[in-house]
Amino acid sequence: KQWYQRRVAITAGGIVTGFRRGQRNQTVNNSLVKIEGVTTKADTEFYHGKRIAYIYRAQKSRKNRITKRETKLRVIWGKVRRSHGSSGVVRAAFKKNLPPKAIGATVRVMLYPSRV
Amino acid sequence: CKQQHDQAVVSTQSGHYGRDPTEDVKRPLTNRRKVKPTKLRSSIKPGTVLILLAGAHRGKRVIFLKQLPSGLLLVTGPYKINGVPLRRVDQAYVIATSTVVEIPAIANDKLTDAMFKRKAKPTKNEREMFIENTSEEPKISAERIALQKEVDAVVVPAVKKVEMLPSYLRSKFTLTKGQFPHQLKF
């Protein structure tokens, strides 16, 4: 493939580090996401409001409503709500709460809605 | 509050303060809402190179022409350069770069929302009646193609004047290893 035909990466990567929690209780509605390259609270400001996609594989294939293709990949969409702490971690809320197996899994942080 | 004021205005207009017991007519409140297009980001000006973030053309760099009354942005590839036609795009799905191309103002009556709105699919009843018509319509109307040529005839020469801009528009935006969007200056 030519260089101009290769797939473009227009997402930032992130890892789900867990749910928002105190020592003994956790709020499953909110997940914590560590976005690659973001190490300070000031850096997270760019990502506020950005959409996040948790993509996972399933056994059965489904027809994707938009691309109309059969696929085994499924998405849970969410968004970055606010920063969490001072080291660049971010709080996210997903349309459906993330399953526990998502902890440690990669997540794609989109660049939209864009404010640049 | 505004609603109370409106209701007071309505009741004074009838010449009676408070509700007239003989008149049980409900008057609608006056709607003073003016529809305005979304506020355009200060970084987006006519001729700005934008990066499309989603959709079929994600990653492509296009030229911003103008904001339509609906609030959507009208962009063009130009089509010959990167295959993006005259298209409407939402501001939130676009990153504005600092590159601005000098384009002469395009005053074209046909560049409106109505031109780009999707044609409603024929309903089931209509389809049964006019089965022969569905295969006739070409995917892109001749009108659109002509409009594209008209607009690009103005935009393409302006793009070619700038050094390396055509190949810049032909390339796509990607993030490579070690590049993080919050650190980039667009």
Side-chain angles (χ1 to χ4, degrees):
Chain A
K1 269 191 178 171
Q2 296 298 316
W3 63 269
Y4 51 83
Q5 286 169 318
R6 292 203 194 116
R7 292 236 182 110
V8 284
I10 308 192
T11 53
I15 296 188
V16 179
T17 61
F19 300 112
R20 182 163 171 237
R21 57 179 306 160
Q23 190 171 35
R24 302 165 206 286
N25 303 311
Q26 58 184 14
T27 311
V28 190
N29 303 331
N30 296 313
S31 324
L32 302 176
V33 174
K34 181 159 183 50
I35 304 178
E36 212 188 332
V38 183
T39 49
T40 62
K41 193 169 170 186
D43 288 343
T44 62
E45 211 257 309
F46 174 85
Y47 297 96
H48 288 348
K50 299 285 185 284
R51 300 237 282 163
I52 308 187
Y54 166 63
I55 299 167
Y56 59 105
R57 286 171 192 275
Q59 282 271 37
K60 293 192 180 173
S61 52
R62 269 194 198 156
K63 199 173 179 193
N64 185 315
R65 283 220 183 107
I66 297 170
T67 60
K68 304 276 190 278
R69 275 182 268 163
E70 285 285 331
T71 177
K72 287 198 172 140
L73 295 174
R74 298 186 189 177
V75 201
I76 302 181
W77 283 100
K79 60 159 107 174
V80 173
R81 288 198 315 120
R82 50 178 293 184
S83 51
H84 181 84
S86 51
S87 302
V89 178
V90 125
R91 288 187 210 170
F94 286 82
K95 280 252 161 82
K96 295 261 174 182
N97 294 345
L98 289 184
K101 73 172 184 179
I103 297 177
T106 15
V107 116
R108 290 192 208 176
V109 183
M110 305 293 156
L111 296 183
Y112 52 85
S114 157
R115 294 194 310 271
V116 172
Chain B
C1 92
K2 201 157 187 260
Q3 213 171 4
Q4 286 174 354
H5 169 75
D6 282 348
Q7 285 180 324
V9 167
V10 162
S11 55
T12 52
Q13 277 173 349
S14 70
H16 297 263
Y17 285 87
R19 200 169 126 253
D20 185 348
T22 57
E23 240 186 79
D24 238 344
V25 177
K26 278 190 181 171
R27 285 176 232 263
L29 297 174
T30 48
N31 186 355
R32 301 222 176 95
R33 186 168 167 259
K34 288 200 183 102
V35 183
K36 282 194 270 180
T38 335
K39 193 164 171 212
L40 194 62
R41 255 182 263 155
S42 55
S43 52
I44 301 178
K45 299 199 170 59
T48 311
V49 174
L50 306 173
I51 302 174
L52 299 180
L53 297 173
H57 300 285
R58 81 194 106 219
K60 290 200 181 161
R61 298 176 166 107
V62 295
I63 301 223
F64 168 65
L65 297 177
K66 69 176 199 179
Q67 184 180 32
L68 298 169
S70 66
L72 298 175
L73 312 180
L74 181 68
V75 298
T76 180
Y79 186 70
K80 273 279 156 77
I81 294 182
N82 54 20
V84 181
L86 279 169
R87 199 169 210 268
R88 294 189 296 171
V89 155
D90 192 308
Q91 244 187 114
Y93 293 87
V94 136
I95 287 183
T97 62
S98 51
T99 315
V100 180
V101 187
E102 273 185 46
I103 301 181
I106 302 172
N108 196 324
D109 292 341
K110 291 193 222 117
L111 294 176
T112 58
D113 283 301
M115 180 75 195
F116 299 96
K117 230 182 160 74
R118 283 192 204 161
K119 300 279 179 296
K121 281 199 185 148
T123 60
K124 217 176 182 180
N125 290 333
E126 282 173 20
R127 251 185 271 142
E128 281 169 10
M129 289 203 286
F130 303 106
I131 294 173
E132 329 90 53
N133 276 358
T134 47
S135 52
E136 278 181 29
E137 308 240 1
K139 282 242 154 159
I140 307 163
S141 64
E143 219 189 330
R144 280 266 210 126
I145 297 177
L147 186 57
Q148 181 77 53
K149 285 206 177 126
E150 245 185 87
V151 172
D152 282 358
V154 176
V155 175
V156 173
V159 162
K160 287 198 173 158
K161 266 194 217 159
V162 182
E163 201 191 326
M164 294 206 286
L165 192 61
S167 46
Y168 177 63
L169 293 178
R170 215 170 275 132
S171 66
K172 281 188 187 176
F173 169 77
T174 22
L175 293 167
T176 54
K177 188 165 182 178
Q179 274 189 329
F180 305 114
H182 66 276
Q183 289 171 342
L184 294 181
K185 192 172 190 335
F186 287 102

